[in-house]
């Protein structure tokens, strides 16, 4: 009987050691999972910051695009103004040439 009790206590001690070892392994795994979760949390924070930065960049690019489009519209207007000025200068040149031709004819008539 005493031998059975000793055998039972020895068995219980071995089982207790196994349970303690399993608990230690579970604690290690739990710590690994906590570390992984913390790492994922950090990565999530970094990704959120990157997402916010990209959203800000997108907003800035949209503003830049709008400014460039306005600049192009202004350049088109200026091009139209320059074309109109060029046309007017051509007309003035023709008028001056006609006037010069008329003056030359008048002088020739007076010179005869």
């Amino acid at each position: 009987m005493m031998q059975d009790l000793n055998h039972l206590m020895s068995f219980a001690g071995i089982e207790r050691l196994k349970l303690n070892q399993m608990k230690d392994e579970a604690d290690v795994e739990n710590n690994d999972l906590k570390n992984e979760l913390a790492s994922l949390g950090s990565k999530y924070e970094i990704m959120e910051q990157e997402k916010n930065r990209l959203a800000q960049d997108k907003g800035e690019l949209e503003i830049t695009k709008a400014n460039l489009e306005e600049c192009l519209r202004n350049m088109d207007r200026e091009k139209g103004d320059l074309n109109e000025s060029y046309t007017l200068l051509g007309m003035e040149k023709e008028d001056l040439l006609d006037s010069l031709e008329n003056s030359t004819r008048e002088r020739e008539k007076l010179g005869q």
Side-chain angles (χ1 to χ4, degrees), residues 11-76:
F11 179 74
I14 291 170
E15 289 302 311
R16 183 174 182 84
L17 287 174
K18 286 181 184 177
L19 286 174
N20 283 340
Q21 184 179 2
M22 288 172 64
K23 181 188 177 294
D24 290 344
E25 289 171 359
D27 286 344
V28 168
E29 189 174 342
N30 188 32
N31 284 335
D32 289 346
L33 290 173
K34 283 181 182 178
N35 290 337
E36 189 176 340
L37 183 61
S39 175
L40 288 173
S42 296
K43 288 177 184 176
Y44 178 79
E45 287 288 325
I46 291 168
M47 289 175 64
E48 279 295 311
Q49 290 171 358
E50 183 69 10
K51 181 179 122 183
N52 291 338
R53 188 188 65 76
L54 289 172
Q56 182 179 355
D57 288 351
K58 179 184 176 190
E60 291 172 2
L61 287 172
E62 287 172 351
I63 291 170
T64 300
K65 178 185 173 190
N67 289 339
L68 288 172
E69 288 170 345
E70 179 66 22
C71 184
L72 285 173
R73 284 190 294 275
N74 289 339
M75 289 174 69
D76 283 343

